[in-house]
């Protein structure tokens, strides 16, 4: 909505207008810094924004969410065109400050339309740690995690991580240390590690960089704790606490950007990993002095041409070994306590991996399987000391089968009291690709063929719980810790006709489960059959309900279903419309929901138009017009003339200091608005 134009504004000098806009943006940024200082903006919330927008600098991590809180990926007009996407007609740009300190517009991905972007798949904890280990070597440092040999190099370049530390804790500690390594010019300098005690602002800086680096490699950050900025920025009124926060924030995004740049460069050359692994094995055989990189002890054997039958035999022997170890283990007691009786455990052929690091490897060697086959089957890997060790240790294991029913991999659950990922899968092999396999698909195949409706659960125990309680209503399967994708739908379609049966998605009743269901929409909306979601109680999944409420609790929860489109559209309305109090919020919410409705079958679209009109208190005709515009948007020809006026993200060269935005004039004092 437009307000009255200030007197004389039509005749204002362009330079004066630009300065006024610059002053306004600097005032918004100062207001954001004040929010960090007084607690209105939590440091962790700012770090979440920095993980998305940090490449544009500290100030812009405050400006972008101030203008569009839900922005996830902002780029210039030209950058979106290079990605095959077009800015939608009538969209207002998000104003940021370029490296020269000039206001420039960028656009969020939700303001564009076009080719879908390929998103990186989430990494396992071990994969994330391996990437950080390679980064350590790239910075000229030696990572010591108890490899078993003496390091004879420069002691200042040695980073030690206790070998008993879990992978996530090790990755966090390593990322924290790497934050201290780069100097202010972005050059690796190992002496920085022992420069000062790591407390106060220095600790906040390193932990914050670790947060952003862990996010970059796909690892969780919920375990990190941050003190309120006032505790390390200074509470004395004479101290420049706001300046300290700005300084630390700028150092955090600059250092994290440099480390993330190096990570991306290392990832780009990862395709030649098999060649490098083979070379490493030759070096190990030729000398007892290992290279400085962590890759050496963790490298795999060169790929060998091993028949699939031999790999399947090794996996089958491994499965029998696991099943034999379940009786009397903590795993059997844990499952029984959650309502999975001994009969259910036997029916699903659940197993248990024992704690010793070479228990399975030694068993398979005695059965005549070679080390090459053990590695190629995804049952073993090389440890830090170069020894072949078990992939799965001290975990409840559930088998993953191919269409023929042969076990090709496992998914393992650890005890709740242990740190690290709850579930881990067999690594990708020639037989197993986690993005294509659904737990329980073979076991439920006959019921799917008979027309029982498929249900996608979050975890394997959830799938077992549903299949145990409601076998005539649902045939439950679970993705192996990955997002639901086209390969999973193809696998289901080999057993049933999704366009007739549709499917139900039942993820955990927490915010993460809700987000997972919404993310699955981009694939599930292509299913023409009814796609519903289960309304599970907060912080409950089917397996929880089976253990605490019995079969009756599971049945009650699974009968409460709503169309998944309702959940997705409601989320759009809340994210873009907030309380829907003002006309601007209502219009933004309708536009966001319209992009979803535009992709629905016509039989469902009319119902959703009525729902959105009711929620936003707008005329159904206005909602219908928004949907029509979303179906066939006009090209933003009015933006083409200014296409060259958009900035590129700052270059993140490791050895080049980033230029700071030029400050033109002291910003006006920010006013709190209602």
């Amino acid at each position: 909505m437009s307000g009255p134009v200030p007197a004389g504004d039509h005749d204002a000098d362009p330079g004066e207008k630009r300065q006024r806009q610059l002053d306004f943006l600097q005032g918004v940024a100062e207001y954001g810094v004040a929010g960090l200082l007084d607690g209105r903006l939590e440091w962790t919330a700012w770090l979440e924004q920095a993980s998305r927008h940090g490449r544009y600098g500290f100030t812009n991590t405050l400006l972008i969410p101030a203008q569009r809180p839900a922005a996830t990926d902002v780029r210039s007009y030209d950058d979106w065109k290079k990605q095959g996407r077009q800015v939608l007609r009538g969209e207002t740009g998000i104003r940021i400050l370029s490296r020269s300190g000039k206001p420039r517009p960028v656009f969020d991905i939700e303001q564009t339309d076009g080719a879908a972007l390929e998103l990186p798949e989430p990494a396992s904890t071990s994969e994330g740690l391996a990437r950080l280990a390679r980064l350590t070597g790239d910075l000229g440092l030696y990572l010591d995690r108890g490899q078993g040999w003496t390091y004879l190099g420069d002691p200042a370049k040695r980073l030690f991580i206790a070998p008993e530390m879990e992978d996530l804790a090790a990755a966090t500690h390593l990322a924290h240390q790497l934050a201290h390594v780069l100097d202010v010019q972005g050059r690796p300098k190992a002496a920085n590690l022992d420069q000062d005690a790591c407390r106060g602002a220095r600790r906040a800086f390193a932990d914050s960089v670790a947060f952003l680096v862990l996010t970059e490699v796909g690892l969780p950050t919920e375990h990190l704790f941050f003190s309120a900025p006032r505790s390390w920025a200074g509470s004395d009124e004479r101290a420049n606490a706001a300046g300290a926060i700005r300084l630390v924030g700028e150092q955090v995004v600059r250092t994290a950007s440099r480390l993330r740049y190096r990570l991306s460069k290392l990832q780009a050359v990862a395709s030649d990993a098999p060649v490098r692994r083979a070379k490493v094995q030759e070096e190990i055989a030729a000398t007892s002095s290992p290279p400085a990189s962590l890759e050496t002890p963790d490298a795999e054997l060169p790929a060998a041409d091993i028949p699939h039958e031999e790999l399947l035999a090794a996996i089958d022997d491994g499965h029998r070994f696991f099943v034999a170890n379940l009786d009397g283990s903590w795993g059997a007691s844990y499952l029984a306590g959650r309502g999975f009786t001994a009969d259910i455990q036997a029916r699903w052929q659940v197993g248990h991996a024992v704690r010793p690091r070479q228990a399975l490897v030694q068993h398979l060697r005695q059965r005549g399987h070679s080390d090459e086959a053990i590695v190629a089957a995804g049952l073993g890997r090389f440890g830090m000391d170069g020894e072949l060790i078990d992939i799965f240790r001290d975990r409840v294991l559930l088998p993953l089968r191919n269409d023929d029913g042969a076990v090709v991999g496992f998914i393992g659950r650890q005890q709740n009291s242990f740190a690290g990922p709850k579930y881990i899968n067999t690594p990708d092999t020639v037989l197993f690709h986690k993005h294509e396999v659904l737990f329980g698909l073979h076991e439920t195949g006959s019921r799917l063929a008979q027309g029982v409706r498929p249900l996608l659960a979050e975890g394997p125990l959830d799938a077992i719980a549903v299949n145990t309680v409601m076998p005539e209503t649902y045939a439950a399967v679970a993705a192996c810790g990955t997002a639901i994708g086209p390969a999973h739908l193809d696998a289901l379609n080999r057993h049933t006709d999704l366009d007739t049966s549709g499917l139900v998605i039942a993820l955990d009743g927490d915010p993460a489960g809700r987000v997972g269901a919404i993310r699955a929409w981009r694939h599930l909306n292509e299913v023409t059959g009814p796609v519903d979601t289960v309304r599970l109680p907060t912080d409950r999944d089917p397996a929880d309900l089976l253990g605490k409420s019995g079969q009756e609790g599971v049945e009650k929860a699974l009968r409460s279903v709503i169309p998944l489109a309702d959940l997705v559209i409601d989320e759009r309305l809340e994210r873009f419309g907030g309380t829907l109090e003002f006309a601007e919020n209502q219009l933004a919410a309708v536009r966001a929901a319209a992009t979803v409705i535009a992709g629905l079958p016509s039989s469902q679209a009319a119902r959703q138009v009525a729902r959105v009109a009711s929620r936003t208190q707008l005329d159904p005709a206005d909602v219908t017009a928004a949907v029509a515009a979303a179906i066939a948007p006009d090209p933003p020809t009015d933006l083409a003339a200014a296409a060259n006026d958009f900035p590129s993200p700052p270059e993140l060269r490791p050895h080049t200091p980033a230029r700071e935005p030029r400050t033109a004039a002291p910003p006006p004092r920010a006013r709190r608005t209602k």
Side-chain angles (χ1 to χ4, degrees):
M1 296 178 66
S2 301
V5 179
D9 198 55
H10 289 297
D11 301 323
D13 179 79
E16 183 182 341
K17 289 182 179 180
R18 182 180 292 272
Q19 185 61 50
R20 186 184 305 143
Q21 186 181 59
L22 178 63
D23 291 345
F24 171 74
L25 292 174
Q26 289 175 332
V28 171
E30 291 301 328
Y31 186 73
V33 172
L36 287 170
L37 183 59
D38 64 25
R40 285 179 290 107
L41 176 60
E42 292 185 357
W43 189 256
T44 304
W46 171 75
L47 284 172
E48 292 286 355
Q49 297 293 350
S51 69
R52 302 183 183 102
H53 315 304
R55 65 185 183 276
Y56 294 109
F58 171 75
T59 297
N60 290 321
T61 63
L62 300 171
L63 292 180
I64 293 170
Q67 299 168 73
R68 195 177 181 92
T72 57
D73 186 354
V74 301
R75 310 187 193 192
S76 70
Y77 182 88
D78 280 349
D79 284 342
W80 281 125
K81 287 182 66 176
K82 293 175 183 177
Q83 295 294 327
R85 298 185 69 86
Q86 187 72 38
V87 176
L88 296 170
R89 184 183 181 90
E91 290 289 348
T92 301
I94 303 166
R95 295 288 163 172
I96 67 172
L97 296 179
S98 68
R99 285 173 290 167
S100 61
K102 296 179 180 179
R104 290 290 186 268
V106 291
F107 298 89
D108 183 43
I109 188 172
E110 292 288 350
Q111 298 176 280
T112 68
D113 186 37
L117 299 184
E118 186 173 344
L119 300 176
E121 295 291 346
S124 67
T125 308
S126 58
E127 291 168 344
L129 177 58
R131 287 188 64 188
L132 294 180
R134 289 193 291 270
L135 174 61
T136 304
D138 185 61
L139 291 169
L141 302 175
Y142 173 74
L143 180 58
D144 184 352
R145 205 180 177 195
Q147 286 95 326
W149 49 65
T150 302
Y151 173 61
L152 302 178
D154 184 353
K157 295 185 177 182
R158 173 178 173 267
L159 292 181
F160 176 75
I161 296 179
E164 65 272 13
M165 190 178 289
E166 291 288 336
D167 282 353
L168 181 58
T172 304
H173 180 67
L174 181 55
H176 176 105
Q177 294 292 84
L178 295 180
H180 289 311
V181 168
L182 297 185
D183 63 17
V184 294
Q185 302 298 322
R187 295 186 296 261
K189 190 175 180 181
N192 288 342
L193 287 169
D194 300 320
Q195 187 180 51
D196 296 300
C198 188
R199 59 174 179 264
R202 193 165 190 258
R203 175 165 192 142
F205 157 77
D207 282 346
S208 298
V209 172
F211 182 104
L212 299 180
V213 171
L214 291 178
T215 302
E216 176 69 16
V217 299
L219 296 184
T221 56
E222 293 82 1
H223 60 290
L224 289 172
F225 171 77
F226 295 93
S227 301
R230 183 174 288 278
S231 68
W232 48 260
S235 56
D236 192 320
E237 293 183 357
R238 295 169 296 178
N240 184 7
I245 289 177
R246 178 179 285 278
L247 177 62
V248 171
E250 289 170 348
Q251 291 177 335
V252 166
V253 296
R254 187 182 301 120
T255 302
S257 293
R258 286 165 173 159
L259 292 175
R260 293 164 84 176
Y261 173 82
R262 284 179 175 267
L263 281 166
S264 66
K265 299 293 286 185
L266 290 171
Q267 191 71 0
V269 299
S271 57
D272 65 345
V275 176
R276 291 187 291 111
R277 288 190 182 115
K279 184 177 179 180
V280 165
Q281 287 297 322
E282 294 175 2
E283 292 175 350
I284 292 176
T287 177
S288 58
S289 299
S293 170
L294 180 68
E295 267 193 297
T296 301
D298 203 30
E300 296 177 359
L301 290 175
D305 187 15
I306 302 174
H308 288 190
E309 293 77 9
E310 186 175 340
L311 299 181
L312 289 171
I315 296 172
D316 183 62
D317 281 342
H319 184 213
R320 295 174 185 273
F321 180 75
F322 293 141
V323 171
N325 287 319
L326 179 64
D327 188 28
S329 68
W330 69 261
S333 302
Y334 162 79
L335 292 172
R338 297 194 66 180
F340 301 101
T341 64
D343 288 341
I344 296 174
Q345 296 173 32
R347 191 184 316 147
W348 287 86
Q349 296 189 330
V350 183
H352 187 272
V354 295
R355 181 173 295 182
R357 66 201 303 256
Q358 287 188 307
L360 177 63
V361 166
Q362 296 293 2
H363 173 77
L364 294 177
R365 283 171 174 169
Q366 293 172 4
R367 298 282 298 174
H369 299 289
S370 66
D371 286 2
E372 291 85 351
I374 295 172
V375 172
L379 299 170
R381 65 177 179 85
F382 288 96
M384 299 298 178
D385 55 2
E387 289 288 332
L388 185 62
I389 61 176
D390 299 349
I391 291 283
F392 298 101
R393 302 202 302 274
D394 201 23
R395 287 178 179 266
V396 173
L397 290 187
L398 298 107
L400 301 167
R401 303 177 186 272
N402 61 17
D403 286 346
D404 296 327
V407 179
V408 293
F410 301 92
I411 183 167
R413 193 197 194 284
Q414 72 173 6
Q415 299 186 59
N416 288 329
S417 59
F418 282 23
K422 183 186 296 185
Y423 286 99
I424 61 172
N425 298 303
T426 294
D428 271 18
T429 69
V430 295
L431 299 177
F432 173 77
H433 303 287
K434 64 181 180 181
H435 304 297
E436 300 174 0
V437 175
L438 287 168
F439 172 81
L441 185 56
H442 172 75
E443 289 84 349
T444 60
S446 60
R447 287 189 285 129
L448 287 169
Q450 295 169 6
V452 176
R453 195 175 190 196
L455 180 145
L456 283 167
E458 184 159 343
L461 296 182
D462 302 327
I464 294 177
V466 175
N467 286 315
T468 300
V469 176
M470 305 181 72
E472 297 180 358
T473 305
Y474 295 121
V477 297
C480 299
T482 63
I484 298 165
H488 295 136
L489 299 181
D490 290 341
L492 275 171
N493 263 321
R494 292 197 296 269
H495 293 77
T496 188
D497 181 10
L498 291 178
D499 290 338
T500 300
S501 67
L503 75 161
V504 175
I505 180 170
L507 301 185
D508 289 0
D510 56 16
R514 188 169 183 259
V515 170
I518 292 169
R519 287 178 177 171
W521 173 254
R522 65 190 181 109
H523 299 301
L524 297 179
N525 70 339
E526 298 178 3
V527 177
T528 58
V531 179
D532 297 320
T533 184
V534 173
R535 283 181 165 173
L536 291 173
T538 302
D539 297 329
R540 290 288 183 268
D541 55 38
D544 291 329
L545 294 171
L546 180 63
K548 296 180 180 180
S549 305
Q551 296 192 4
E552 183 179 348
V554 177
E555 282 196 49
K556 180 179 179 181
L558 294 180
R559 295 192 187 281
S560 175
V561 299
I562 61 171
L564 180 58
D566 287 11
L567 181 66
V568 176
I569 290 173
D570 288 347
E571 187 273 340
R572 287 294 183 98
L573 294 176
E574 294 168 8
R575 181 150 60 108
F576 291 93
T579 60
L580 299 172
E581 182 179 359
F582 302 107
E584 294 93 335
N585 303 118
Q586 294 166 352
L587 182 58
V590 166
R591 286 177 174 174
T595 60
V596 177
I597 300 174
L600 294 175
S602 57
S603 59
Q604 302 178 33
R607 174 179 173 272
Q608 295 298 343
V609 166
R611 288 185 69 249
V612 170
S614 176
R615 285 282 306 274
T616 59
Q617 299 298 306
L618 293 181
D619 193 303
D622 294 332
V623 181
T624 301
V627 174
I631 294 173
D634 295 326
T637 54
D638 54 329
L639 296 174
N644 295 326
D645 192 40
F646 294 85
S648 299
E651 296 181 6
L652 302 178
R653 301 182 182 278
H655 303 301
T656 303
R659 294 173 58 188
E660 300 298 328
R662 189 170 62 234
T663 304
R669 185 174 182 180
R671 293 181 299 171
R672 188 189 296 264
T673 58
K674 293 184 180 180

